Amino acid sequence: MDKLRCCVIDDEPLAAQLIESYVERTPFLELAGVFSSAQEAIKTVLTGNVGLIFLDIQMPQLNGMEFARVVPQNCQVVFTTAFDSYAIDGFKVNALDYLLKPISYDEFLSAATKAYECAVEKERPAGNTDRYIIVKSEYKLIQIPVQDILYIEGLKDYVKICLEGESKSVMTLMNVKTLEHALPSEMFMRVHRSFIVNTSKIRVIERNRIVFGNTYIPVSESYKQAFTDFVNARLIGMVRTVQDVVEEEM
């Protein structure tokens, strides 16, 4: 899949224009239309091969929540609203994400990336497990295979993504929590408020620290039990497969 076709539905012109500008800035999205009501968008959504809708909720006649219940199953919905009271209802209609206005490009990109990855996953032949995230770094959008990520470190307003076999990390303006939600939970684990690790890349654990070369990542008290459970559940398998020695029992 080269691009994911999407449309914007919002009865507030300025809000619709902002999301439209975000779509145009995102290379893996293709804009199918901008509509001021759900009624205007019905024909395009049902016949236009649209895979993603950025949908306001409070609109006249047919609101976004009602419209989300009738869109095709292969069409993902990201709600864009000024009201957080609809969040639970959003999950009931299987919304992919729920963005509160005013929406930053960082928040938009995280939701759009999630939608693109879901669409690609559906098209991928069985047995192919390659997955990607796309982040903005130094005025560029960079596509990163998740299997290449060793760990992520939060640095105030930025995160540092350290890649296997790469001497230079990728820096992006984002917080750790946003990136955590975008990564596959079966591959990545939060072990500290500032660190996420790719569990498949762990080779050495030493005195409550995960070792990647010369980097020692601490396991904080808040995440220690979950990490201990993870290690204990795989301890025999780790002993048989790692090339280094686990020097400290968890």
Side-chain angles (χ1 to χ4, degrees):
M1 173 182 289
D2 293 328
K3 292 192 176 185
L4 178 62
R5 280 172 59 82
C6 64
C7 66
V8 180
I9 307 175
D10 199 315
D11 64 339
E12 299 177 26
L14 291 179
Q17 290 171 14
L18 178 65
I19 299 300
E20 179 182 8
S21 71
Y22 287 170
V23 172
E24 292 173 346
R25 288 171 57 183
T26 308
F28 57 85
L29 294 180
E30 178 183 346
L31 188 64
V34 179
F35 305 94
S36 60
S37 71
Q39 290 93 326
E40 288 182 9
I42 286 177
K43 184 176 181 181
T44 298
V45 170
L46 295 180
T47 64
N49 192 28
V50 174
L52 174 62
I53 305 173
F54 294 98
L55 180 63
D56 188 20
I57 293 179
Q58 286 203 336
M59 295 184 292
Q61 297 181 321
L62 183 64
N63 68 40
M65 201 64 65
E66 294 167 336
F67 186 64
R69 293 188 175 95
V70 300
V71 301
Q73 289 187 348
N74 64 340
C75 187
Q76 302 177 87
V77 173
V78 172
F79 283 121
T80 58
T81 179
F83 304 95
D84 60 5
S85 57
Y86 293 102
I88 295 176
D89 291 331
F91 288 114
K92 288 181 180 178
V93 296
N94 295 320
L96 179 74
D97 214 330
Y98 190 99
L99 304 181
L100 284 175
K101 299 175 181 177
I103 300 166
S104 68
Y105 182 64
D106 176 43
E107 294 170 320
F108 172 88
L109 184 61
S110 176
T113 300
K114 191 188 305 183
Y116 181 78
E117 289 178 344
C118 288
V120 170
E121 189 70 26
K122 290 178 181 178
E123 290 191 348
R124 181 172 294 131
N128 189 338
T129 58
D130 291 344
R131 298 168 78 172
Y132 302 88
I133 58 170
I134 298 174
V135 298
K136 187 176 182 181
S137 180
E138 299 178 349
Y139 307 103
K140 298 177 291 186
L141 289 173
I142 301 176
Q143 180 172 267
I144 302 173
V146 295
Q147 68 268 20
D148 290 350
I149 299 173
L150 287 176
Y151 65 90
I152 292 107
E153 179 179 3
L155 302 169
K156 202 172 181 180
D157 295 329
Y158 287 81
V159 295
K160 179 172 72 172
I161 303 173
C162 297
L163 305 175
E164 189 172 35
E166 298 286 343
S167 59
K168 185 178 180 181
S169 302
V170 176
M171 300 287 290
T172 182
L173 183 62
M174 191 183 298
N175 59 56
V176 174
K177 186 175 181 180
T178 298
L179 191 51
E180 180 182 15
H181 290 320
L183 292 168
S185 59
E186 69 273 15
M187 292 179 63
F188 291 87
M189 177 176 285
R190 187 88 169 261
V191 296
H192 188 279
R193 63 179 299 180
S194 299
F195 289 97
I196 300 171
V197 299
N198 184 341
T199 56
S200 69
K201 303 295 184 180
I202 296 174
R203 296 294 180 268
V204 177
I205 303 167
E206 176 186 323
R207 299 182 182 89
N208 256 7
R209 299 177 299 177
I210 301 164
V211 184
F212 289 110
N214 295 323
T215 301
Y216 290 78
I217 296 176
V219 179
S220 70
E221 195 64 33
S222 300
Y223 300 94
K224 183 177 179 180
Q225 187 59 55
F227 185 68
T228 299
D229 292 344
F230 167 82
V231 173
N232 286 340
R234 296 159 177 81
L235 188 57
I236 295 176
M238 287 181 64
V239 171
R240 288 176 177 171
T241 60
V242 297
Q243 297 177 354
D244 301 290
V245 177
V246 176
E247 298 183 357
E248 177 87 3
E249 291 187 0
M250 300 298 294

